[in-house]
Amino acid sequence: MDFSRRHMLAGGCSLVGAGLIPAMARAQAGIASLAYGPSTAVYALGGIAEARGLFKAEKLDFKLVVGNAGTHGRQTLAAGQALFAHGDASHPLQLSTRGKPCKIILATQMISSIANIVVRRDLYDAGIDSVEKLAAYKRPNGGKPIIAATAIGSGTWMYGTYTFEAKGLGDKVTWVAGGGLNTMLPGLETKQFDAIMGVPGWVIEAEAKGFGKAIFDTSKPGVFVSAYGGTVPVLVIYALAETCEQEKPTVQAFVNAMYQAMKWVKATPIDEVYALVGEKYFGGQNPDAVKAELGFDKQTWDYDGRIDKASFERGGKVWYRPGTDIPPAKYEDIVDMSFLDAAQAKFK
């Protein structure tokens, strides 16, 4: 087990009983626990804020709880084992419809780095170089092409299924759960999957090792905006609505730290960002792949954390579809930018 995994598990183990501790007691103790998954650099902001000492400056005791898929953050938050979660914006919407109202308090990505589609290299070399051609492909047994998302219902699944459905191809492919880095890439390499949804690091890794090729790459200018009509809240920080109401000082301190981390990343060379957290959290992963993920957001949007009503409503095209079981929600009911407003006013 590498150091990064040991570090993350250590943070998770310390929170096993957190759900048994009254919320107000946790707030008074100044604990800011953040859950997410999988272990990829698109979720590095919490670790960056910790390494920069920003939580400590806000008098918060910070803990990370890391799993293998985006659903982990949602489930951990719902179980009371974390105060905050970092993941696809659909997760707080799903929790809210299941009796646990949530608030999105910060955006960490507005152009999706988790919507990339990587096909097997042999298929690409055979001419399958587009979403349409992948959908038309038949496996040797005559079956539909198999595409892996990290988990069914995860952010990668949400964006992957939308990409195909928007083209009228939703029924032409089969979706499976592929897990994290250590299962997704081997599954593509061994032809268990015909394609995978991949963060930038996975795209680089698959292409560098010669067994995959991106056919839908959101790091390229215009690809995402053209397909989705503009920016949307992709990855966000969220908390239970009762946390935002009852533990405002803790939530504000947490957002203060995360916003300062965003400002620092935006202004800092990627090599310096990697030097801060690369080995600690992502040891064993390809450094070039990690750097690509760390740099994705600063290259594609303003990195200011803000979600406006128009972008939220564009996200509805992804969230509110048959199969997602998410009913439409109002911007005012889900998004709370008041903590970000205060942080931006304080740290101009």
Side-chain angles (χ1 to χ4, degrees):
M1 183 182 292
D2 60 42
F3 176 81
S4 63
R5 187 65 175 158
R6 290 198 305 269
H7 177 90
M8 291 172 179
L9 285 174
C13 290
S14 67
L15 291 170
V16 169
L20 303 177
I21 302 173
M24 193 56 68
R26 282 185 279 127
Q28 291 171 350
I31 297 174
S33 46
L34 176 65
Y36 67 85
S39 177
T40 175
V42 294
Y43 298 115
L45 197 64
I48 290 169
E50 180 188 37
R52 292 281 297 165
L54 299 173
F55 291 114
K56 188 175 182 180
E58 294 286 338
K59 297 181 172 55
L60 292 177
D61 179 16
F62 181 69
K63 303 292 182 185
L64 281 175
V65 191
V66 184
N68 288 325
T71 51
H72 166 81
R74 182 182 77 210
Q75 293 162 354
T76 305
L77 184 80
Q81 294 176 349
L83 208 59
F84 304 96
H86 191 176
D88 186 83
S90 65
H91 294 313
L93 290 166
Q94 291 178 68
L95 281 180
S96 295
T97 65
R98 296 171 186 173
K100 288 188 176 290
C102 290
K103 292 289 186 180
I104 296 172
I105 54 178
L106 185 72
T108 67
Q109 190 171 94
M110 294 291 286
I111 289 179
S112 180
S113 69
I114 61 177
N116 302 305
I117 302 173
V118 185
V119 301
R120 289 167 21 201
R121 184 63 197 228
D122 63 305
L123 295 183
Y124 183 84
D125 290 342
I128 297 177
D129 56 3
S130 69
V131 170
E132 291 82 358
K133 291 178 181 179
L134 175 59
Y137 167 72
K138 297 297 182 184
R139 293 176 63 82
N141 64 2
K144 300 174 184 179
I146 296 174
I147 307 177
T150 53
I152 303 302
S154 68
T156 55
W157 179 86
M158 293 289 291
Y159 283 91
T161 54
Y162 176 80
T163 298
F164 282 87
E165 288 175 11
K167 296 176 179 292
L169 304 171
D171 62 346
K172 303 297 184 182
V173 299
T174 298
W175 290 92
V176 298
L181 170 68
N182 295 328
T183 52
M184 286 282 268
L185 293 181
L188 185 67
E189 185 174 16
T190 60
K191 302 182 181 180
Q192 179 182 350
F193 311 135
D194 299 310
I196 63 171
M197 302 302 298
V199 294
W202 298 0
V203 175
I204 288 176
E205 192 80 4
E207 293 186 345
K209 293 185 175 179
F211 58 80
K213 182 69 176 177
I215 59 172
F216 188 79
D217 186 351
T218 59
S219 69
K220 291 187 166 53
V223 169
F224 183 82
V225 169
S226 176
Y228 289 79
T231 60
V232 305
V234 180
L235 300 179
V236 301
I237 303 293
Y238 59 98
L240 294 177
E242 66 179 20
T243 299
C244 295
E245 286 296 321
Q246 299 174 11
E247 306 180 30
K248 289 185 178 181
T250 298
V251 177
Q252 187 63 64
F254 178 81
V255 173
N256 287 350
M258 294 291 276
Y259 176 64
Q260 290 181 84
M262 294 180 81
K263 286 169 60 71
W264 182 79
V265 171
K266 183 67 176 178
T268 303
I270 288 301
D271 284 342
E272 190 174 335
V273 179
Y274 180 82
L276 180 71
V277 295
E279 287 301 320
K280 183 176 182 180
Y281 294 106
F282 310 106
Q285 297 184 30
N286 182 336
D288 290 336
V290 175
K291 290 177 185 178
E293 292 184 30
L294 290 171
F296 180 89
D297 297 310
K298 64 186 293 181
Q299 294 167 0
T300 56
W301 67 293
D302 291 339
Y303 219 12
D304 65 354
R306 188 161 294 281
I307 302 169
D308 62 20
K309 189 172 184 178
S311 64
F312 181 81
E313 291 179 347
R314 277 193 295 271
K317 294 186 296 184
V318 180
W319 308 322
Y320 314 137
R321 292 178 288 129
T324 67
D325 298 323
I326 303 174
K330 294 181 180 179
Y331 170 84
E332 296 80 6
D333 293 338
I334 297 293
V335 179
D336 183 351
M337 293 284 95
S338 64
F339 298 102
L340 179 61
D341 290 340
Q344 290 181 335
K346 182 176 182 179
F347 304 104
K348 292 182 179 179

